[in-house]
Amino acid sequence: MSASKGISRRSLMAGGAGLGLAAALGSPGQAAAGPARARLTPLSDVFQLGVASGEPDASGVVLWTRLAMDPVAPDGLGGMPDRHVPVQWQVAKDERFKKVVRHGVEVARPEEAHSVHVELDGLDADAEYFYRFRVGGELSPAGRTLTTPPPGTRKRDLHLSFTSCADYQKGWFTPYRRMAEEHPDLIAFLGDYIYEYGDYKYPVRDQAGGECFDLAGYRLRHAQHKADPDLQLAHAAAPWTVVFDDHDIENGWAGDVPEQPDPPFLPRRAAAFQAFWENMPLRRSQRPDGSRMKLYHTLRWGAVANMHMLDTRQYRDLYACTGKSGNVGDDCADRFAENRTILGAEQEAWLAGRLRTSRAVWDLLGQQVFLMQMDWGNGPAHQYSNEGWDGYVASRNRVAAAIADNKRNGVVLTGDVHSHWAGEVKRDYADPESPSVAVELVSTSVTSEGDGMDEYPNTQILLSENPHVKFFNGRRGYVRTVLSEREMKVDFRSLGYVSEPFAPAYTSGSFVVEPGHPTLNPV
């Protein structure tokens, strides 16, 4: 399928012209008549935020859209009227929607920013589908989605791409476009889908609204992101699975403790969680309850891979030694405390149970911050980030032991640090003879930190002082992988710039990982 098929409004409109959609979907014009209908605010161009799908399983997937006539309306409501809007949806086996297999109507409600979540089941396993929405006479762009292979299937490879950290002001979202062009089966986003900050002094692109403090602010920030055509392509190309990190709410928060005490944090987090739910293709079970949101879960791809998506923000203990995120030295004994956890006791026990019962070839841990040890000191003095798992050493050792003791092929997928890294996770970094139990693949950002560099002046120093780290690249981009029962192929995809649009992507590093051997083999 070409990159434009299934996601072009023009091709969609042409494809649907002769399908008799009014009969197939019902006529929305019958909902109101006469004078009452005339009083309604007319709707036009309501699909400016595109479409998305997510959280697939072997029998279904979530379909998403959000109606907006003015994505940057200051109140965050997208210029929509304060009323319910019926939204029709279709699922088909083909791009031209001649083989429609499911259809229905969902109501877009103003109290949910006119977002729509269609949670489907009863679909065929390991199948490709196309979907679209309709309001009145308007059709949305079409999206492509997939269901996962049946449980036990080992012959269906998983083409997975992942990335993180999309700061609108820092550049163009071209990495999303390049991911979409490669037609992955699944895209994982590992946090910082938006940035809550206000205006920068020298932005690459102008951002609407100031710093996000309330529901209107977060809704507006999500809407401006969703209106970006490159991001729309990536959402329409494949189903997504997502987790949040700090900037989706506020920089540097830990558990219930914010970086800045004003405004009150829990109402702010509740607003951010509500907007995150409204703007992501999430299941009903992932819907927030005020300032709480249980997002961690396992997505299964047959028997090839179990993808355990983790939350390293909401349940973590406060930062070791200083109470603030930053680097700490060898004198910070607090980071070794046995009772410290970055996942929380409940999530940590859940993950241990999933690893114990897993029968997949690969167990992927999708999460936000550096898991492997990393000395950032650039010299004899050691410096460790207390924001990553180095601030929660006992928690890391417990996860590493669960991977090793259950003989899992563990692969940690990480975001946050705005550069590509690859390394090997040791069972216990305090023991020089400790074996590797997993590999870690760290994706760079979509735009955060701007264009970047392939290598920085201190790169070789960092690599020499962290011999378990095998790769670095400081450009923007994403990671492309193919997982099979035989091996995992990894390509670090980089772009030379995001300060201008349409940069080409290139492979800055490639590795192969074999089952039973948690090492990175360069290609």
Side-chain angles (χ1 to χ4, degrees), residues 278-297:
E278 291 169 351
N279 286 279
M280 295 294 175
L282 296 171
R283 292 186 175 272
R284 287 185 289 271
S285 60
Q286 298 168 301
R287 187 172 188 155
D289 180 11
S291 64
R292 306 291 174 186
M293 187 175 189
K294 188 176 179 182
L295 203 57
Y296 63 86
H297 65 288

Side-chain angles (χ1 to χ4, degrees), residues 318-342:
L318 193 57
Y319 302 114
C321 295
T322 64
K324 299 178 181 179
S325 63
N327 288 345
V328 296
D330 288 330
D331 58 345
C332 178
D334 187 30
R335 68 190 190 95
F336 295 98
E338 284 295 321
N339 63 342
R340 284 182 57 75
T341 175
I342 194 171

